[in-house]
Amino acid sequence: MPGAAELLSSVFGFSEFRPGQAEIVDAVMAGQHTLAIMPTGGGKSLCFQLPALCRDGVTVVISPLIALMRDQVRGLREAGVAAGALTSGNTEEETEEVFRALDEGVLKLLYMAPERLSAGGTLNLLRRIGVSLIAVDEAHCVSQWGHDFRPDYLRIGELRRSLNVPLAAFTATADAETRAEIVTRLFDGVQPETFLRGFDRPNIHLAFEVKDSPRRQILDFADARKGQSGIVYCGTRAKTESLAAALREAGHSACHYHGGMEAEPRREVEARFQREDGLIVVATVAFGMGVDKPDIRWVAHADLPKSIEGYYQEIGRAGRDGAPAETLTLYGPEDIRLRRSQIDESPAPAERRAADHARLNALLGLAEALTCRRQTLLGYFGEEAQPCGTCDLCDRPAEAFDGTEAVRKALSAILRTGEYFGAGHLIDILTGNGTDKVKARSHDALPTFGVGREFDRRQWQAIFRQMMGHDLVRPDPERHGALRMTEAARPILRGEAGIELRRDTIRKASSARPAVKTLVAEEDAPLLSALKAKRRAFAEAAKAPAYVIFNDRTLIEMAEKRPQTLDEMARISGVGAKKLERYGAAFLEVITGEGTAALHPTRRKLAGREAASLYDRLLEVQAELSRGDGGIDKPLSCSTSLLAKVAETRPGDLRALERLLGDRRAERFGAAFLQVLHEA
């Protein structure tokens, strides 16, 4: 069998390996379990395709996208390699051809989607054809909390154990936490031979801008690169369609792509993008993973991505041929609120939501960086770098100022309010805005009230955004987005350290357009998200629309009024007796963070009414007199329904009370019950 170097030249047409490829190829060929993290465009595919030709048996490649598999199979066949794919996109003839090649023992690489692992007969097929290696592309999809999670990737570890063959996993983006998850789920926690071949893509120019007429910013960016292939990522499906139309009106060849489209139109867009020069695809993140187009010259984000990992994965689709490529990412306060609410409304446990908030903070740190963006980006992935000279901050350094005093004021406001409030309420305190909420909590009497009037509200929002980017404060999911101080902030608060902030983004915040109207005040938005998450859980369990549980208006009122008891919950519009019984305690627990003591059904029916407090007081008095004034009489009590009737009818004298209670109970409780009723 020819050696690796000979096949590299004769089959793939390369005279030498790219940096880092040779060591990975050697490890895979030797049958070692392998994990390789390589930058997009760094030649990951060759690192399992070449060993597959050098090893006996069939190499199974698990890949997440049909389009990517078909492209790779087509390329391998063009190079004379016997490769095939079993996908839902196959014609009957294509599938028959793959099985024939397997039966004849000529196929070297078999591609399949992870979903096929759950199909009956797949394991028997793989045993029968003599699989000798499993290669996993886009291995970060195994991370349950990652940006591209695919549930069927969790079956790969079981497949490896069943076949007892080496496994090689590849990805272009994985922080330390995701790498650990890959090792746990694919390799049963046994450390594979690991190659971390750098995340740097020096040919890609990095740039961020604060949103200011964002549609015009995207159109200007595209106009300056007319005729070049590009991708614009948007946060919503509707936006992809409207922005693609705007680009077409401006004279560009553009189309949209999102997960809500039918399969055939999506395939048409994918085919056009591969075939046409200069086409712009405006898409959600549903488009891109596995895009094998080498000459994408630019990637723009019309909205802030979810995390640095997502950002890096998406910009990595540009410039895979190694030629210069450009990126632009727009961001603003509405983006951050959206991303925060998506995290808060997720069903993930609190510690995972906290980690996701920290990941978003890291992305804000990149957006608000003071120095070279590439240093910040690579630093997140654990790499050190020199200033790159190919990012917007190297082109034009940020305008910075000593923000120590402003940050100390903000941190003081956080601590003096018990780390129990979000940025909106804290900004009201700092700017001396005496809202009802500020006055109700006596926060207008704090030493920090009004000490930050040198900045307006939007400027303070930019300062808090930068504080999150520096990881000085983090939203606490358990407290519905309340900001908590990190250890990194303490030296600044104590006067032992200073900090620089960007003046340019704060100035732009002051001159930006009015904020988009939101359902609730910024302060209440995280709680509203948590209430929506609870509503969704009930709706899914009941297989019913969410509004059947509670409509938005009811949840908004809960978020704003924050009831602390079931009585207060019963006064919320839309919370009737039945819904209070079914859902009241669960939603109250979301608001208070504590379990709610169970109420007797009779008492629960009175919740929210004046009779409820009367019932509670009558119950207390009855307990005191249950054995008489001296505590030595035979026990006596009224039924809960009888107490409820007294509370509701409020008899005015002893005779009326006797008619309700009877002589014996009226004799023991009558005078005390009448006193309670008269006091009320």
Side-chain angles (χ1 to χ4, degrees), residues 132-336:
S132 62
L133 173 69
I134 300 171
V136 182
D137 203 5
E138 309 290 358
H140 64 276
C141 293
V142 80
S143 173
Q144 288 195 77
W145 307 108
H147 57 285
D148 282 324
F149 173 55
R150 298 285 286 265
D152 287 285
Y153 263 67
L154 299 176
R155 300 177 184 273
I156 298 174
E158 182 182 344
L159 176 68
R160 180 191 62 75
R161 289 190 295 274
S162 297
L163 296 177
N164 193 27
V165 296
L167 185 146
F170 299 84
T171 181
T173 173
D175 61 8
E177 184 181 23
T178 304
R179 292 199 295 271
E181 200 167 351
I182 291 171
V183 170
T184 298
R185 299 191 182 281
L186 296 186
F187 301 98
D188 294 330
V190 177
Q191 189 64 42
E193 191 75 20
T194 302
F195 300 89
L196 193 59
R197 289 306 173 205
F199 293 89
D200 194 12
R201 296 284 304 284
N203 61 312
I204 299 180
H205 186 277
L206 310 177
F208 281 72
E209 283 184 14
V210 174
K211 283 186 177 180
D212 180 15
S213 300
R215 176 170 291 193
R216 173 48 48 199
Q217 288 169 284
I218 294 293
L219 290 173
D220 288 346
F221 189 75
D223 286 344
R225 292 150 187 84
K226 200 151 193 175
Q228 297 179 2
S229 296
I231 303 174
V232 181
Y233 284 110
C234 299
T236 65
R237 295 173 178 182
K239 194 168 184 177
T240 66
E241 298 180 15
S242 62
L243 191 50
L247 284 162
R248 287 194 295 272
E249 289 173 12
H252 295 276
S253 177
C255 55
H256 68 271
Y257 184 106
H258 57 68
M261 296 166 59
E262 294 294 328
E264 188 55 37
R266 288 206 309 271
R267 280 195 290 268
E268 287 176 8
V269 173
E270 291 166 356
R272 281 188 64 190
F273 194 57
Q274 292 287 358
R275 187 175 63 244
E276 295 180 23
D277 288 331
L279 181 67
I280 300 171
V281 175
V282 187
T284 60
V285 293
F287 179 79
M289 185 168 62
V291 169
D292 203 20
K293 185 178 173 71
D295 57 348
I296 300 169
R297 294 274 62 88
W298 57 270
V299 170
H301 283 91
D303 301 298
L304 189 71
K306 291 182 179 180
S307 64
I308 282 194
E309 289 89 350
Y311 166 78
Y312 178 79
Q313 184 87 2
E314 288 146 26
I315 66 166
R317 283 146 199 166
R320 293 181 60 159
D321 56 3
E326 296 176 276
T327 68
L328 172 67
T329 302
L330 304 182
Y331 67 103
E334 289 78 27
D335 292 305
I336 299 165

Side-chain angles (χ1 to χ4, degrees), residues 383-524:
E383 293 186 18
E384 294 183 6
Q386 297 299 312
C388 67
T390 54
C391 73
D392 56 340
L393 293 178
C394 285
D395 298 340
R396 187 173 60 197
E399 183 184 350
F401 74 103
D402 185 350
T404 307
E405 184 180 352
V407 170
R408 276 192 197 137
K409 289 177 180 178
L411 293 173
S412 177
I414 289 171
L415 285 184
R416 289 180 185 276
T417 54
E419 298 182 293
Y420 224 91
F421 297 90
H425 186 75
L426 296 167
I427 291 170
D428 285 333
I429 294 170
L430 290 164
T431 56
N433 183 19
T435 65
D436 291 343
K437 191 178 289 187
V438 168
K439 291 175 180 176
R441 292 164 172 78
S442 300
H443 289 166
D444 51 342
L446 292 174
T448 45
F449 185 76
V451 298
R453 290 191 175 100
E454 69 271 29
F455 298 110
D456 65 25
R457 185 172 194 83
R458 293 186 68 87
Q459 289 174 317
W460 270 115
Q461 287 172 339
I463 291 170
F464 274 103
R465 192 175 68 225
Q466 293 191 53
M467 289 170 65
M468 291 180 204
H470 286 283
D471 203 26
L472 303 179
V473 293
R474 292 183 182 180
D476 183 352
E478 291 291 274
R479 295 186 177 186
H480 310 304
L483 294 179
R484 302 199 74 157
M485 197 172 74
T486 67
E487 285 301 314
R490 298 192 184 280
I492 298 173
L493 187 66
R494 292 193 296 257
E496 299 167 2
I499 186 169
E500 284 194 322
L501 299 179
R502 286 185 64 169
R503 189 185 299 279
D504 50 342
T505 58
I506 292 175
R507 187 184 298 120
K508 285 180 181 177
S510 180
S511 61
R513 298 173 302 161
V516 174
K517 178 71 174 171
T518 54
L519 290 175
V520 293
E522 181 183 1
E523 184 67 23
D524 299 321

